[in-house]
Amino acid sequence: MNDDQTSASGRPANQAGTAADKITSAVGRAVDSALQMTNTALNKASAALDQAGIGATNAAPGDARPTLDTVTASAQRLAAQGRAAAAQAQEQASQKLRAYADKTSAYVAEKPLQSVAIAAGLGAALAWLLGRGRK
C-alpha cells in the first residue's frame, strides 16, 4: 500500500476523532452552562437573604440561610459529579467512535472495490428512497 492509500484510509478515523472532540466540547459547554446558571440562581438567593438580614453567622434555627448553604453545597457536588460522569461517557464514546472509524478505514484499505460497491449501492438506495418521497 502506498502513502496516498494510507493517508486516505486514515482520514475517516481522523474525522471521527474530530467529531468526537466536537461532541466532547459541546457536552462540556452544556455542563458548564448549567453549573453557571445554578450558581447564578443560588447567588441571587443568597443576596436576597443577605438583604433580608439573614446572614450565615446570625441565622436562627429555622432560618433559610443554613438550608440555602446546604442546597448550594449539594448543587456544587452534584455538578462536579455530573461533569465527571459526562467526561467519562464522552471518553468512552470517543474511544468507540475511533475504534469503529479505524475498523472502517482498515476494511476500505483491504477491500477497496467492495467498499466502493457497498457505498454505491447504499447511495443508490438512499437516492431511490428520497426520490420516492418527493412524488
Side-chain angles (χ1 to χ4, degrees):
M1 188 178 339
N2 65 33
D3 288 338
D4 290 338
Q5 288 173 322
T6 302
S7 65
S9 67
R11 277 190 221 131
N14 290 338
Q15 291 171 347
T18 300
D21 292 341
K22 287 180 182 179
I23 291 169
T24 300
S25 178
V27 168
R29 286 192 308 270
V31 169
D32 288 342
S33 176
L35 180 59
Q36 184 178 15
M37 290 188 325
T38 301
N39 283 336
T40 299
L42 291 171
N43 287 340
K44 286 181 181 179
S46 179
L49 289 174
D50 287 342
Q51 282 183 338
I54 304 172
T57 56
N58 63 356
D63 280 342
R65 172 60 71 178
T67 303
L68 179 63
D69 292 342
T70 302
V71 169
T72 300
S74 294
Q76 289 173 344
R77 186 180 68 253
L78 289 173
Q81 289 173 348
R83 181 179 288 149
Q88 183 180 10
Q90 174 277 322
E91 182 59 31
Q92 290 173 348
S94 179
Q95 288 174 357
K96 286 182 181 181
L97 185 59
R98 284 191 177 107
Y100 288 132
D102 289 342
K103 286 179 183 178
T104 302
S105 295
Y107 182 84
V108 169
E110 291 171 12
K111 300 178 181 184
L113 293 178
Q114 281 183 323
S115 299
V116 169
I118 291 170
L122 289 173
L126 184 60
W128 180 75
L129 288 172
L130 291 175
R132 256 183 51 177
R134 290 185 181 172
K135 292 182 181 180

